Each structure stands twice: as C-alpha cells, then as structure tokens.
Amino acid sequence: MIMTATLADQLAPYGIDYVDAMDRFGDNADLYERLALKYLDDEHLVALKAAMEAADYSEGYSQAHALKGVAGNLSFKDLFQCAALVSDALYAGEYEAAAEHMPEVERTHELVIKGLSAWQNGTL
C-alpha cells in the first residue's frame, strides 16, 4: 500500500489533487481509485471534440459542462479549469474563445490519462 502523501505527490504533476479527492470522498481511497480509473473510459472529450468540429455548440456546451463536472468531482483540477473555460465560453456564445481553449482541455485530459494509467499499472 502506497502512503497517501506519496500518492498525492505522485499524482499532482498530472493535475490530480489526491488530497482534495480524499476530502471529497471522505477518505475512502478504494472508492476514489475505482471511480477515478473509470475516467480512462470517459467519452466526454471525444463527444466535445466532435460537437466542436460539427459546430454543434449546444451539444458542445453539454459535453464541456459534463466534462467539467466529472473533472471537478474527481479533483482533476487543471482539466476542470480548462473545461470550465470552454463550457463558460460556449454558454456565453463565444464560440471562437471556446475553440481557442480546446487544446488546453486536450492537453490536461491527456495528462490525467497518463497519470491514471501509471496509477493503474503500478508505475507511479
């Protein structure tokens, strides 16, 4: 069993705030791990990218908002902030601004995936 402080330090570079997650999940590390690792199969970013490419901004907003919610609930701090920028821009009808934030959403998503994969594979 990895000590919590060590795991928190190892996950932090990936934008995953394990200490915040433990507060949010009532120190239930097993539940958090199970739910966080489910994010590896999350399709919100794929759907968001497709909606943006199709200029379906209503669907884009729905997907960005859902991604923001998932990221917030799982304490993926950087992804949460970037998804919020896209969600807020789409809500306000600022489609170009939303599109400009998409690379950051993708970058922070990939970081989270990298961190979760390392955690899942025991290579942290």
Side-chain angles (χ1 to χ4, degrees):
M1 176 78 183
I2 299 172
M3 289 177 34
T4 300
T6 304
L7 184 56
D9 291 341
Q10 290 173 320
L11 290 172
Y14 300 103
I16 302 170
D17 188 337
Y18 189 76
V19 173
D20 182 69
M22 285 302 92
D23 286 344
R24 187 179 300 275
F25 281 78
D27 290 322
N28 188 335
D30 291 336
L31 176 62
Y32 177 69
E33 181 176 0
R34 193 165 61 251
L35 294 177
L37 293 178
K38 281 185 180 225
Y39 183 76
L40 292 168
D41 298 320
D42 188 89
E43 294 291 326
H44 286 108
L45 180 62
V46 172
L48 171 57
K49 287 168 58 176
M52 293 297 288
E53 288 169 13
D56 183 348
Y57 299 120
S58 176
E59 178 63 15
Y61 169 74
S62 294
Q63 294 300 329
H65 188 75
L67 180 61
K68 178 181 87 168
V70 170
N73 286 332
L74 294 174
S75 300
F76 302 160
K77 295 294 191 179
D78 298 338
L79 179 58
F80 170 80
Q81 290 172 348
C82 294
L85 291 173
V86 173
S87 175
D88 292 350
L90 289 172
Y91 184 78
E94 298 169 358
Y95 307 129
E96 286 182 28
E100 288 173 12
H101 292 298
M102 284 299 296
E104 273 300 290
V105 172
E106 293 181 52
R107 185 188 67 77
T108 54
H109 165 83
E110 288 304 320
L111 254 182
V112 167
I113 294 297
K114 190 174 176 182
L116 292 175
S117 295
W119 188 14
Q120 184 179 49
N121 298 332
T123 57
L124 275 181

